[in-house]
């Protein structure tokens, strides 16, 4: 039986890695992103700016017109923004981050809820930043914490669907390049752990991260729908323990 997946932000980074992994596992993948995905196979792709809400309805109507069921939905699209003190972050910057990381996902979830498509599992791509609250993560941490609550609230309405917000761990991406090469770790000490992990080769490639997420999928259903889960809790407990120890150190 054909498995169907829908993923946002699949043109690069983790989204592209997830698309590649899903295709290799026999899924038919329906994707939308601003630039479009160049992978081939059983993929149905449409270009869509998720912050242009008027165009999202048209894009999803077209992309998922003949889809009755989705085994997996991954809402992956998001941005980091600038690492800086929250007091230095303007309302315009916060609005842009919230539009992409939160409100675009609300819009997609509303469309899916009204569509009556049968959906088994929804994953919201969150981050450890949502709970760590480290200095400098400002709008990104705020948006991911809000995203976690968004998932919990929608779990009450998607009664036949299991929803989780997940932190996937450290991934090699443009975001990682920015954090390791362009930001002062003395100003934002939590970066030191990330930069050290990058030097030590502990940062996953997008495909490795995608494989880990797919490995964790069945375990996520052991948690209450609407939960936030750092998948390192499940698959890399030593790494998760190190993360929590670093958090406790920075909170003192």
């Amino acid at each position: 039986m054909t498995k169907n997946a829908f993923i946002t932000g699949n043109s690069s980074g983790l989204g592209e890695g997830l698309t590649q992994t899903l295709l290799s596992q026999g899924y038919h993948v329906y994707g939308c992103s601003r630039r479009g995905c160049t992978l081939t196979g059983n993929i149905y792709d449409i270009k869509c700016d998720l912050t242009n809400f008027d165009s999202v309805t048209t894009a999803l109507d077209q992309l998922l017109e003949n889809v009755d069921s989705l085994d997996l939905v991954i809402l992956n699209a998001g941005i980091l923004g600038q690492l800086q003190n929250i007091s230095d972050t303007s309302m315009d910057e916060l609005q842009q981050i919230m539009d992409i990381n939160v409100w675009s996902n609300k819009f997609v979830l509303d469309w899916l809820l009204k569509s009556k498509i049968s959906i088994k599992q929804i994953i919201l791509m969150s981050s450890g930043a949502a709970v760590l609250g480290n200095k400098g993560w400002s709008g990104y941490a705020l948006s991911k914490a809000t995203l976690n609550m968004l998932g919990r609230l929608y779990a009450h309405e998607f009664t036949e669907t299991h929803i989780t917000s997940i932190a996937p761990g450290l991934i090699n991406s443009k975001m990682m390049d920015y954090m390791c090469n362009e930001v002062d770790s003395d100003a934002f000490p939590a970066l030191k752990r990330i930069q050290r992990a990058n030097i030590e080769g502990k940062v996953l490639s997008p495909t490795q991260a995608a494989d880990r997420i797919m490995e964790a999928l069945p375990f996520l259903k052991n948690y209450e729908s609407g939960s936030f889960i750092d998948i390192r809790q499940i698959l890399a407990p030593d790494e998760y323990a190190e993360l929590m120890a670093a958090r406790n150190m920075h909170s003192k």
Side-chain angles (χ1 to χ4, degrees):
M1 185 175 178
T2 300
K3 296 180 291 185
N4 295 325
F6 168 58
I7 180 169
T8 63
N10 67 328
S11 62
S12 62
L14 178 59
E16 185 178 41
L18 282 162
T19 301
Q20 189 171 13
T21 294
L22 288 164
L23 290 171
S24 72
Q25 294 186 9
Y27 283 80
H28 286 201
V29 180
Y30 297 82
C32 69
S33 62
R34 189 167 50 85
R35 293 187 298 273
C37 184
T38 59
L39 295 174
T40 58
N42 291 318
I43 182 169
Y44 311 88
D45 201 67
I46 193 165
K47 291 183 180 180
C48 176
D49 180 355
L50 290 171
T51 62
N52 184 346
F53 299 147
D54 290 337
S55 70
V56 172
T57 297
T58 302
L60 294 181
D61 284 345
Q62 180 180 338
L63 180 68
L64 300 173
E65 179 181 9
N66 298 313
V67 176
D68 296 322
S69 64
L70 289 165
D71 295 271
L72 181 63
V73 170
I74 302 178
L75 301 184
N76 167 73
I79 62 170
L80 174 65
Q82 296 292 314
L83 286 186
Q84 57 190 350
N85 291 327
I86 187 67
S87 59
D88 294 328
T89 307
S90 71
M91 293 302 295
D92 286 344
E93 289 174 289
L94 288 174
Q95 185 64 58
Q96 181 188 28
I97 294 169
M98 294 294 286
D99 280 349
I100 297 172
N101 292 0
V102 181
W103 307 133
S104 68
N105 289 314
K106 182 192 183 307
F107 197 92
V108 172
L109 287 167
D110 287 343
W111 187 95
L112 290 170
L113 191 63
K114 293 173 184 175
S115 74
K116 305 303 181 182
I117 294 173
S118 174
I119 305 170
K120 291 183 180 178
Q121 190 169 10
I122 296 176
I123 303 296
L124 305 177
M125 203 58 63
S126 187
S127 167
V131 295
L132 294 174
N134 288 321
K135 181 183 179 183
W137 261 251
S138 58
Y140 183 72
L142 191 62
S143 70
K144 293 302 185 180
T146 307
L147 182 68
N148 291 354
M149 182 54 71
L150 190 75
R152 180 166 290 278
L153 293 172
Y154 271 99
H156 299 297
E157 301 184 39
F158 282 87
T159 56
E160 303 300 319
T161 303
H162 192 269
I163 299 177
T164 41
S165 303
I166 69 167
L170 299 177
I171 303 168
N172 189 12
S173 63
K174 290 181 180 178
M175 185 185 299
M176 181 61 62
D177 290 341
Y178 166 71
M179 290 190 292
C180 290
N181 300 314
E182 298 182 37
V183 187
D184 181 7
S185 60
D186 289 329
F188 307 113
L191 278 176
K192 294 183 186 295
R193 179 187 62 84
I194 294 173
Q195 293 172 353
R196 183 171 65 253
N198 190 45
I199 292 170
E200 294 174 352
K202 295 180 180 179
V203 175
L204 301 177
S205 71
T207 302
Q208 288 173 323
D211 289 343
R212 186 156 76 168
I213 290 168
M214 295 304 294
E215 182 183 354
L217 281 187
F219 298 101
L220 295 176
K221 291 187 176 181
N222 294 329
Y223 296 84
E224 179 187 8
S225 184
S227 296
F228 165 71
I229 307 296
D230 190 314
I231 62 173
R232 291 168 287 194
Q233 293 175 250
I234 301 170
L235 301 178
D238 290 344
E239 182 182 348
Y240 183 72
E242 181 182 346
L243 176 67
M244 290 297 101
R247 175 196 185 188
N248 293 336
M249 182 180 68
H250 287 306
S251 65
K252 290 179 180 179

